[in-house]
Amino acid sequence: MCIRGRDWVGISDASFVKFGRGIVSLQRICKDDVIVDYHGKVITGVSIEEYSCRQDVRPEYCMEIPWAPKSIIDATSETCSQHPESLCLGRLVNHVNERAKDDSDNLKMVEIYLDQLPIPVRVIVLKARRQIEPFEHLRYDYGDQVARKLFQEN
């Protein structure tokens, strides 16, 4: 596996009638290939439910950090301070309903540990759950997190 900085190869942001902005593959992607990372501002000491109630937060771009209780990633911003020249594409991966009968949830979320960096770090990445064909809409089942956010908005 090779993560080459912020230059994600083979994907692009796109616009979908039903979903709005999202990510599309530009080439065939093999099963288990790393597609993109999911990152943003790390917020600690608060649950996603508490944080999502703030006026300046877009809850659809927030995700709980699996290995850190009461910690979330807020990917509301299009860019981040670490990579101001690049879009944070992981934040655009659309949700697929868990009841979908097709194979539309083509991504899986995985925690990886990068120990080759000066300061080792855990990263959330999205990997191909199966082979993905060119121009396929990239989607992930966010599960309960999306259900909680929708419940809060209604």
Side-chain angles (χ1 to χ4, degrees), residues 1-102:
M1 170 177 53
C2 179
I3 297 178
R4 293 171 282 188
R6 303 294 304 143
D7 299 322
W8 299 106
V9 177
I11 63 172
S12 179
D13 58 326
S15 182
F16 297 90
V17 173
K18 184 177 178 181
F19 300 98
R21 289 178 70 198
I23 301 293
V24 66
S25 61
L26 299 177
Q27 63 190 34
R28 178 172 286 144
I29 300 170
C30 297
K31 180 180 178 178
D32 291 323
D33 278 358
V34 172
I35 311 262
V36 69
D37 66 339
Y38 191 98
H39 79 279
K41 184 177 177 183
V42 176
I43 310 294
T44 59
V46 65
S47 70
I48 197 163
E49 290 85 0
E50 296 164 334
Y51 187 72
S52 295
C53 292
R54 291 180 37 187
Q55 291 291 335
D56 61 335
V57 172
R58 296 203 42 206
E60 65 271 23
Y61 293 115
C62 296
M63 178 184 300
E64 295 169 316
I65 301 175
W67 61 83
K70 289 203 117 182
S71 298
I72 63 172
I73 296 173
D74 181 349
T76 301
S77 178
E78 293 262 331
T79 60
C80 74
S81 59
Q82 297 156 338
H83 314 285
E85 73 288 348
S86 304
L87 282 178
C88 297
L89 289 178
R91 68 187 286 280
L92 297 178
V93 171
N94 293 131
H95 171 65
V96 62
N97 189 307
E98 63 203 26
R99 293 181 298 274
K101 301 291 185 216
D102 58 8

